[in-house]
Amino acid sequence: MQPTPAQVDAAVEAFRMLSDATRLRLMWVLSSAEYDVGSLAETIGVARPSVSQHLAKLRLAGLVRTRRQGRRVLYRARDAHVRALIAEALFHADHEVSGIPRHDD
């Protein structure tokens, strides 16, 4: 069964959001736990305003969710599908750069 045009458009948008190195790094970190903007900026070594801008784009694209904890806003990868997408993309990249044999050819 072919994906619908809406499904293809949504997938293209997700890949477009993940095509930026900073956003992909953010998503990798957010795949394992919740973080606030300051902690994310420190973890990936990017200025806080830049992290905030990237998080806003990721949130609009539906790739991250937020939760308030007092005055802080905590971010996390939206769901298991998004976390799996990030993991698989980076596992694929590991094969590309390390020369690890493919699982199935």
Side-chain angles (χ1 to χ4, degrees):
M1 183 166 145
Q2 290 289 323
T4 67
Q7 290 169 321
V8 170
D9 289 346
V12 167
E13 178 62 16
F15 283 124
R16 190 173 71 75
M17 283 292 111
L18 298 174
S19 69
D20 179 89
T22 299
R23 289 194 289 267
L24 186 55
R25 286 186 179 102
L26 285 169
M27 291 304 299
W28 176 255
V29 172
L30 293 172
S31 290
S32 62
E34 290 180 316
Y35 288 84
D36 63 18
V37 173
S39 299
L40 283 166
E42 185 177 319
T43 299
I44 67 167
V46 173
R48 189 181 178 120
S50 179
V51 168
S52 290
Q53 290 175 359
H54 286 295
L55 287 170
K57 289 177 183 179
L58 291 166
R59 187 174 180 200
L60 283 173
L63 297 174
V64 298
R65 64 176 169 80
T66 60
R67 179 176 72 84
R68 279 211 169 272
Q69 186 177 51
R71 293 175 40 186
R72 296 182 337 156
V73 176
L74 299 173
Y75 294 83
R76 174 139 183 154
R78 179 158 203 118
D79 57 32
H81 292 293
V82 171
R83 289 188 294 274
L85 178 64
I86 301 306
E88 288 300 321
L90 290 167
F91 293 152
H92 167 75
D94 191 30
H95 284 277
E96 290 295 312
V97 300
S98 69
I100 297 170
R102 307 248 179 243
H103 298 284
D104 52 62
D105 266 344

